[in-house]
Amino acid sequence: MTKNFIIIEPDPIVAMDVEGLLISQFPRAHITTGASLADIGPAIHNCGPTSTMVVKGTLLADDGDLRRVARIAAVRKARIVVIGGPFDFDFPATFIELPFTSDMMLAAMTPRTPELDLDPAPPA
């Protein structure tokens, strides 16, 4: 299953840093990057359980349309990672404070719930 990343970040340096990190860690992923909701186009309609939206917190806090789109993505089980904040949203989000490190960003991409062990150890 191919991962899908959508980055919405107006600072081109931050956007390039995030995109470069994702390309190095997830070489087969589909990555869409833009400075605003209008820049990511139809990529947002494909958000689902294999998707992660990385978005600048102030954009999300100030743009009702972007907040609605992020809420819909969260309902579809996409992971929402907010750079900056924390802000009070009515959907689940992981916040990364600025300045962030690569380790912080990768930790935000990791599911919080442990996956089931499909091959449990035999009882002792």
Side-chain angles (χ1 to χ4, degrees):
M1 194 174 339
T2 303
K3 290 187 176 282
N4 181 38
F5 293 98
I6 299 171
I7 303 166
I8 306 172
E9 170 58 62
D11 182 328
I13 301 299
V14 175
M16 285 188 328
D17 284 349
V18 174
E19 189 173 16
L21 173 66
L22 295 175
I23 288 169
S24 70
Q25 293 296 311
F26 306 99
R28 295 185 183 159
H30 182 263
I31 301 171
T32 303
T33 304
S36 69
L37 180 59
D39 293 338
I40 61 168
I44 197 66
H45 299 296
N46 297 324
C47 269
T50 62
S51 301
T52 299
M53 179 188 295
V54 180
V55 60
K56 182 169 184 137
T58 54
L59 286 179
L60 203 53
D62 295 341
D63 185 339
D65 290 336
L66 181 56
R67 222 173 15 263
R68 259 189 305 286
V69 166
R71 184 180 310 111
I72 291 168
V75 166
R76 292 180 182 165
K77 305 295 184 204
R79 178 177 304 281
I80 310 299
V81 177
V82 179
I83 299 173
F87 297 92
D88 189 22
F89 301 123
D90 61 349
F91 51 87
T94 302
F95 294 89
I96 300 175
E97 291 290 332
L98 287 170
F100 62 85
T101 65
S102 296
D103 290 340
M104 291 166 65
M105 182 60 72
L106 290 175
M109 303 294 172
T110 305
R112 289 185 188 164
T113 55
E115 294 184 8
L116 295 175
D117 186 354
L118 299 177
D119 190 19

